[in-house]
Amino acid sequence: MNQRHSQFLYNNRKSKQFQSITMRFLLCLFLFGIFYTKLIANPFGTKQKYLNQIPIKSQHKKPIITIISDNEFTELTDFLVPYGILKRAEISELYALAPESGKVQLFPALSVEVDTSFGVFDKEHPEGADIVIVPALHNSQNPTILNWLKKQNEKGATFIGICDGVWTLAYSGLLDKREATGHWYAKDKLIKTFPNTIWTKNKRYVHDDRMITTSGVTASIPITLALIETLVGKKKASEMAELYGVKSWDPNHNSDMFEFKWNHYLIATKNYLSFWNHETIEIPIYEGMDEVSLALVADAYARTYRSNVSSIAPQTKQIKSKSGISIYADITNPESKRINVRVMIPNSGKSYPLLTETLENIQKRYGETTMEFVTLQMEFPFP
């Protein structure tokens, strides 16, 4: 009996020791998982926030959203995509603004007319905008724009910096000690220039309180849909996504897959220097055309370094797009005998699949490496 009792105690003690070792092992795995997630899988420390947590101030029946521009060069897709989608969603009072009303030159192609200046908007809305969208601007240190952004911040606006629009927000001081992201290519320079900002990768968009920033160019589409969902719900966002052929607008993104390799630099140099092979891509513009499709197609072709993009229209210098913005015609004599390439943009097509189709056409016309070079610039995961 004593021997059996001793054996029982011995087995019980061994069992407890085994359980203790097992628990310690599982605890180590748990802690390692946390360590890996925080420090290895995401060394920049993403806080895993969702866009619907944004504290958007609104003193209006419909939120007042402004999309700003600089009269001297504003990124084409960053500007026209959110404008077109938000205007057609009809969920806000939407303003396209510039320091001075008048012509705004977009890059890498096209130009538009912006009717409202900062000064006029401030007189009409001294309380400020609810949301300010900042595209990539050629001069990200324009003092007029930086001062206006600071004043809007004091009035409680929420900001969305699209692609390199993050530079303008950073220079305004609004991203100090904030989490932010940007175009994959600018990552190292952003970290060096603005060390007080927490730079995050592998997200199409991130937000920290009233500051939202996105990855490159084509992130303008998912962030706009995410904003619509935040303001009025997923049903409306899904309707707009279906309209433009978008399947997902969540923040998941693999920025690590984007990298310029030696062949991309080589093809860019070759395309640029081979000026005798350069082509003009003529895009007919017409009343009521979809500006989102126009922006994506024109932006893609203009980034090949093999082609220049020009809008064409008979007799008139401006046309009104589907969302009511005036687009300038670069060529008003489309019957010219110049040997150019004509690209038609259907008004009934879905914009997102149309971009994929455009990239396929670029691949056929200029080669796979040129197509890859374009997708890297636009930070578009294709194919």
Side-chain angles (χ1 to χ4, degrees):
M1 187 72 177
N2 289 337
Q3 185 176 359
R4 289 183 180 178
H5 182 68
S6 298
Q7 184 66 33
F8 173 80
L9 293 176
Y10 174 80
N11 291 338
N12 189 48
R13 185 165 59 250
K14 285 292 186 180
S15 176
K16 289 182 177 180
Q17 288 176 350
F18 177 78
Q19 291 176 2
S20 178
I21 293 171
T22 302
M23 290 300 295
R24 290 177 184 177
F25 176 73
L26 293 175
L27 179 61
C28 287
L29 283 179
F30 176 74
L31 293 174
F32 175 78
I34 295 176
F35 172 81
Y36 180 85
T37 301
K38 294 290 185 181
L39 300 181
I40 298 177
N42 188 6
F44 296 97
T46 303
K47 298 177 182 178
Q48 304 296 329
K49 295 181 180 179
Y50 294 93
L51 197 60
N52 59 13
Q53 296 173 336
I54 299 172
I56 296 178
K57 164 195 79 78
S58 181
Q59 307 173 38
H60 312 97
K61 186 175 181 180
K62 282 187 174 182
I64 292 181
I65 303 177
T66 62
I67 303 176
I68 72 166
S69 62
D70 193 340
N71 297 89
E72 297 180 2
F73 296 110
T74 299
E75 212 288 328
L76 168 62
T77 296
D78 295 359
F79 180 80
L80 279 184
V81 165
Y83 185 89
I85 296 176
L86 288 170
K87 192 73 172 180
R88 292 184 71 180
E90 298 181 330
I91 61 167
S92 65
E93 289 187 47
L94 185 64
Y95 291 84
L97 303 182
E100 301 294 334
S101 60
K103 188 174 184 178
V104 169
Q105 181 63 51
L106 303 175
F107 70 84
L110 308 184
S111 56
V112 296
E113 180 81 6
V114 171
D115 297 328
T116 309
S117 67
F118 287 169
V120 169
F121 177 82
D122 290 341
K123 288 180 180 178
E124 293 180 355
H125 296 284
E127 76 284 3
D130 298 312
I131 301 167
V132 177
I133 299 176
V134 185
L137 307 176
H138 183 69
N139 180 9
S140 56
Q141 299 184 65
N142 184 324
T144 300
I145 294 176
L146 297 184
N147 290 334
W148 189 83
L149 292 177
K150 291 175 184 177
K151 291 178 181 177
Q152 291 298 310
N153 180 53
E154 292 170 358
K155 296 174 183 178
T158 294
F159 294 84
I160 300 177
I162 296 178
C163 186
D164 277 347
V166 67
W167 285 90
T168 302
L169 287 179
Y171 276 121
S172 69
L174 300 183
L175 296 182
D176 284 353
K177 299 181 181 179
R178 299 286 190 187
E179 183 182 10
T181 193
H183 194 290
W184 69 267
Y185 186 74
K187 180 189 68 176
D188 292 340
K189 193 172 181 180
L190 285 168
I191 292 172
K192 182 178 179 180
T193 308
F194 305 105
N196 291 331
T197 299
I198 305 166
W199 295 106
T200 301
K201 65 176 183 176
N202 293 328
K203 290 290 179 182
R204 291 199 287 190
Y205 51 83
V206 299
H207 75 85
D208 190 332
D209 194 35
R210 292 185 290 112
M211 301 298 156
I212 308 160
T213 49
T214 81
S215 56
V217 189
T218 51
S220 56
I221 300 171
I223 189 58
T224 305
L225 294 172
L227 177 61
I228 292 171
E229 181 178 0
T230 297
L231 293 175
V232 295
K234 190 169 184 178
K235 181 180 178 181
K236 186 64 175 181
S238 297
E239 290 174 1
M240 299 308 296
E242 173 65 23
L243 185 65
Y244 290 99
V246 181
K247 295 181 179 179
S248 172
W249 58 92
D250 63 73
N252 296 324
H253 181 61
N254 182 12
S255 55
D256 288 333
M257 70 180 286
F258 297 92
E259 178 187 7
F260 282 139
K261 299 178 180 178
W262 67 268
N263 58 321
H264 300 126
Y265 288 110
L266 183 62
I267 198 67
T269 302
K270 179 182 176 182
N271 288 355
Y272 181 76
L273 294 178
S274 301
F275 56 87
W276 57 88
N277 283 331
H278 287 188
E279 298 177 320
T280 296
I281 304 295
E282 293 184 346
I283 301 179
I285 58 175
Y286 48 89
E287 293 291 325
M289 81 176 303
D290 176 25
E291 60 283 293
V292 174
S293 294
L294 172 63
L296 294 172
V297 173
D299 212 331
Y301 273 109
R303 292 176 182 273
T304 64
Y305 286 26
R306 274 288 307 274
S307 52
N308 302 309
V309 174
S310 293
S311 56
I312 65 173
Q315 301 177 347
T316 180
K317 287 293 291 182
Q318 294 181 41
I319 67 96
K320 287 280 188 181
S321 72
K322 187 181 292 290
S323 294
I325 197 162
S326 296
I327 303 171
Y328 282 86
D330 299 315
I331 301 173
T332 55
N333 182 19
E335 302 304 322
S336 168
K337 295 182 180 180
R338 288 186 299 270
I339 302 176
N340 295 331
V341 180
R342 185 74 51 92
V343 173
M344 306 298 295
I345 297 180
N347 210 24
S348 58
K350 295 180 182 294
S351 302
Y352 209 65
L354 184 59
L355 173 58
T356 300
E357 181 183 329
T358 299
L359 292 169
E360 291 172 348
N361 291 335
I362 288 173
Q363 180 177 358
K364 293 175 184 177
R365 191 168 193 86
Y366 303 127
E368 184 175 3
T369 307
T370 295
M371 182 274 291
E372 291 175 352
F373 181 62
V374 172
T375 63
L376 289 169
Q377 293 176 79
M378 299 183 76
E379 202 160 337
F380 183 65
F382 172 84

